Amino acid sequence: MALDYQVYLEKLALFGRILRQEGLDVSPNETADACRILLELGMADRAVVKTALRTVYAKSRDEQLRFDRVFDSFFLSEDAIRAVDKKHQQQELERAEALREAERELQGESPSLLYNDAQKEAYSQLSEQEKERLRNIKEKFLGDPARNPGLYSSMIHSIFARSIMEQQMSMEDAAMGRMAIDPEIGLMFRDISQFEDHEIPKAVMYIQDIARRINGELTQKRRHTGHTGALDFRRTIRKGLETGGRFYRLAYRRKRSRRKRLVVLCDVSGSMIQFSEFVLRFIQSLNQASESSRVFLFSEEMAEADAFHLQNMDLFRDYVRQSGVYGRGTDLGSALRKLNDMKPPVLSPAAMLLIISDAKTVNVPLAMQEVLRARARAGKVFWLNPIPEGKWKYLNSISTMAELCTMISCSTLEALGQACRKLAFL
Amino acid sequence: MDLETLKQKMDEANYIYDDTLATVLYVALRLNRPLLIEGAAGVGKTEIAKVMAAALDRELVRMQCYEGLDESKSLYEWNYQKQLLSIQVNMGSRDSDELTRSLFSDEYLLERPLLKSIRSEKPVVLLIDEIDKSDEEFEAFLLELLSEMQVSIPEIGTIKATTVPFVVLTSNRARPISDALRRRCAYLYIEYPDAEKELAILRAKVPHIDERLAVEIVSAVQKLRGSEAILKKPSIAETLDWAEALHALGVRELTPEIMRTTVGFVLKNNEDIETMAETLFAEDHECCGDPENCAHAGEPGHHHHHHGA
């Protein structure tokens, strides 16, 4: 028994470490619990073991999904181990064959060019159409590659680099899609711009739900911060009169809660409109978060939106179309410049500027310069970006902008909720 | 008690469950952990506590949470009236220390559900229902009780649990439960049952219902739940209510007409009732391709689509 316990404990400790890497809070207590329960239930029935461990380790629906994934890859059934092994060998063979094939195709015409394994692999995974395109490019520029192999190969290499990057991005997308299996919370973890029309009412319901929670938390926070201020002598003495001059109850100065003024600059170009709608809806629902807010919409032009048009999505869409700013390219720089130059000034130290955009703008240097100017004028500058943080490194304009202000990624409702909570509590 | 015995007891309590649920309950019971149950409204969270009480042959102590719930309503309260009376009566007594001591004794203590559950001679099942409706302070206060199985009463001192209750907490996720509380609990998430399980529940709870009607009810409810357009999904309790109502009306078959008149039992808001017509009837009348001779023509909710100009 003692030996069994030891073996279980070691396995479970390792399992716990992997769970921790996945973001679950696993304490030694839980590992001990898991061990106890496994000793009682045994390991014979995989489903029972999985349920028992899940009960011990996962403490929310989200954690359950993460747990399932870790469990399935950690505790493989015997058949699964064999199947994985076989599949792995098969894949290795196929990969080697594909590499040889790619090498034949690539080297055949111009042996002077050198390709590394990653590039060969990228080539082998290209679609037939892409391969055709690559071959065309080669033919077009073939001239005499032997004369300037460096120049020629750097161009080909850049095409490969793009293909590898696209593969990487699509793999990341696939990994994010795992959350979609649960219809109850799937919507919370999906890309907002990918929502279908019939899902929008439900998404709006979630937003109202989250906004209600944040509002509730804000009210509670205010209710509890009344006692910490300095003693208010005048009110204490007056209150003391009620109790015959004894200071039975002390009165404190209340800290006056100063709410922020919010200035929202919102990108409504083609790719952004759905996301912007959701964010604006969120901000409108947070009636407690700011004292007043002004919303400006931009794509190439900039226009101010009034509260009436923001109250429902249809009105908003119609308004955006009529205002004439919709559907063109994005020019953040000139929109920000207009905002910075407005008289009377919109931005002041008491205001918080919130930029909602994917940072895919023309004239990046101007945009950078204006963000810096806005930062000097406004109290704080925040940027809500619908592009997942993992992809920022592939897009130059985003990584540059992220250094200039606080950029928060919120591609999903869940992330958007977190971001708004963060903003509301500042 | 082992897993098989627990299953047997739940069978005896006439409760429909799957292996996952049984295992989770067993784990929580063996580890003496409170069980936190989350899931949409009406999937049967509260029912689990009742079944556990029946299966373990224990008393069920229930505490419904709401905003503003505090220690005096959940744990204990002094019986002020009785204390005042006692002071009046014993005014002449010499030993005032003794009087003070006696005022804070068990005699004047009003037990509320939490205290009752840990001071009970026999272990009980404690149901803390809809914990998400209570305030955060209350949640923090629960932590001491749930992790140490003891509570502190300033006038008496710390009271340790005589027996350890099996605690079930339920939440509709109206507000997030703190991580500290989650960590102390075993966790169970309940989804709506699939058609097979729901039919079994219907048969068990409404045994007198016509078999064919039961199948039709379950398939209609499942279709409604599966539809994205329905905002408030029908709960199991509502399915049972509907079945009872249809049975009472002497209905043998679920026609669109019957469905329209009784749908108020499963759908509780106007938009959903309107979209229901589209969800259910669109498929029911696929066979009717002839608008001229259709028996349902002109009925509300029954449309024929005319193609072309």
Side-chain angles (χ1 to χ4, degrees), chain B:
Chain B
M1 186 188 282
D2 63 10
L3 188 53
E4 289 311 315
T5 324
L6 180 68
K7 284 183 182 176
Q8 209 180 327
K9 297 263 187 190
M10 290 207 296
D11 285 333
E12 284 166 22
N14 205 9
Y15 184 73
I16 310 294
Y17 60 90
D18 53 18
D19 282 350
T20 309
L21 178 62
T23 311
V24 171
L25 289 173
Y26 175 74
V27 169
L29 199 62
R30 289 304 299 179
L31 296 175
N32 262 335
R33 290 273 155 147
L35 178 64
L36 171 63
I37 309 178
E38 286 189 328
V43 289
K45 298 187 288 293
T46 310
E47 192 66 21
I48 288 180
K50 292 183 189 162
V51 169
M52 281 307 273
L56 301 173
D57 192 21
R58 293 184 183 185
E59 189 193 346
L60 176 70
V61 178
R62 180 177 177 157
M63 192 177 68
Q64 174 67 45
C65 294
Y66 51 87
E67 221 176 304
L69 177 69
D70 59 9
E71 289 178 35
S72 70
K73 285 168 197 142
S74 60
L75 187 61
Y76 75 97
E77 199 169 12
W78 292 109
N79 191 340
Y80 297 118
Q81 285 92 339
K82 204 171 168 188
Q83 281 175 330
L84 282 174
L85 280 175
S86 170
I87 294 170
Q88 295 284 333
V89 170
N90 297 313
M91 198 73 103
S93 133
R94 298 230 180 109
D95 194 350
S96 61
D97 283 353
E98 176 57 34
L99 177 61
T100 316
R101 258 198 304 280
S102 77
L103 283 178
F104 293 105
S105 63
D106 263 6
E107 202 188 333
Y108 301 94
L109 192 68
L110 293 176
E111 279 184 348
R112 300 288 187 225
L114 292 182
L115 192 60
K116 188 179 167 194
S117 70
I118 62 166
R119 295 219 307 178
S120 161
E121 289 296 320
K122 283 174 157 179
V124 299
V125 172
L126 171 64
L127 167 64
I128 302 176
D129 213 1
E130 304 194 327
I131 177 79
D132 51 330
K133 293 221 175 107
S134 69
D135 304 316
E136 273 164 27
E137 293 93 334
F138 180 72
E139 217 181 289
F141 153 76
L142 266 186
L143 289 180
E144 186 194 4
L145 180 79
L146 294 183
S147 54
E148 305 296 327
M149 279 300 155
Q150 62 176 37
V151 285
S152 313
I153 296 180
E155 297 85 354
I156 297 181
T158 306
I159 297 185
K160 281 202 186 311
T162 332
T163 52
V164 179
F166 180 66
V167 185
V168 176
L169 300 112
T170 72
S171 159
N172 286 334
R173 301 204 281 191
R175 97 178 147 74
I177 308 294
S178 73
D179 284 347
L181 185 60
R182 280 178 189 280
R183 265 207 304 283
R184 282 164 178 79
C185 299
Y187 179 80
L188 172 64
Y189 181 84
I190 312 189
E191 284 172 271
Y192 287 114
D194 55 19
E196 197 183 329
K197 195 175 167 196
E198 189 157 30
L199 194 58
I201 296 173
L202 194 57
R203 280 193 202 122
K205 301 282 172 183
V206 195
H208 43 270
I209 198 167
D210 187 65
E211 178 61 29
R212 186 172 149 210
L213 182 62
V215 174
E216 283 178 346
I217 290 175
V218 168
S219 106
V221 170
Q222 292 278 336
K223 220 181 269 178
L224 287 174
R225 268 193 215 127
S227 158
E228 285 285 340
I230 302 286
L231 295 175
K232 196 213 150 281
K233 311 272 187 243
S235 69
I236 299 174
E238 282 163 333
T239 312
L240 297 178
D241 284 351
W242 197 26
E244 284 284 10
L246 292 174
H247 180 74
L249 288 171
V251 172
R252 305 296 300 266
E253 192 191 345
L254 203 56
T255 60
E257 188 52 45
I258 296 283
M259 219 182 259
R260 253 192 303 277
T261 46
T262 58
V263 75
F265 281 96
V266 269
L267 296 179
K268 304 292 165 73
N269 76 47
N270 197 27
E271 292 86 355
D272 284 351
I273 292 179
E274 276 167 19
T275 38
M276 177 209 69
E278 291 159 27
T279 316
L280 292 176
F281 303 151
E283 288 157 43
D284 284 348
H285 289 296
E286 264 169 9
C287 54
C288 117
D290 183 6
E292 303 286 310
N293 301 318
C294 175
H296 302 282
E299 279 179 25
H302 184 82
H303 304 291
H304 290 113
H305 298 283
H306 298 277
H307 297 287

Side-chain angles (χ1 to χ4, degrees), chain A residues 31-83:
Chain A
T31 307
D33 276 354
C35 202
R36 261 178 63 198
I37 209 72
L38 281 192
L39 282 174
E40 280 190 30
L41 290 172
M43 296 279 261
D45 187 340
R46 188 171 183 273
V48 170
V49 171
K50 186 174 178 180
T51 311
L53 291 185
R54 185 167 55 193
T55 311
V56 173
Y57 283 119
K59 306 291 177 172
S60 69
R61 185 71 181 129
D62 171 36
E63 287 189 3
Q64 282 190 338
L65 293 175
R66 277 185 271 173
F67 173 89
D68 284 354
R69 215 176 57 242
V70 174
F71 184 91
D72 288 338
S73 54
F74 191 86
F75 292 96
L76 292 173
S77 67
E78 210 166 309
D79 287 345
I81 293 174
R82 287 210 192 92

Side-chain angles (χ1 to χ4, degrees), chain A residues 230-276:
Chain A
L231 192 68
D232 185 339
F233 286 105
R234 190 167 161 273
R235 274 177 53 228
T236 303
I237 291 170
R238 288 187 74 124
K239 265 201 177 327
L241 292 178
E242 291 170 10
T243 48
R246 287 192 189 163
F247 301 130
Y248 184 63
R249 270 194 200 117
L250 303 181
Y252 292 91
R253 278 181 208 285
R254 288 239 176 85
K255 229 177 164 180
R256 198 194 288 170
S257 66
R258 259 188 58 190
R259 293 193 223 161
K260 295 162 282 285
R261 237 164 25 81
L262 199 60
V263 178
V264 185
L265 184 63
C266 188
D267 188 344
V268 289
S269 58
S271 57
M272 280 291 298
I273 182 136
Q274 180 139 324
F275 178 75
S276 296

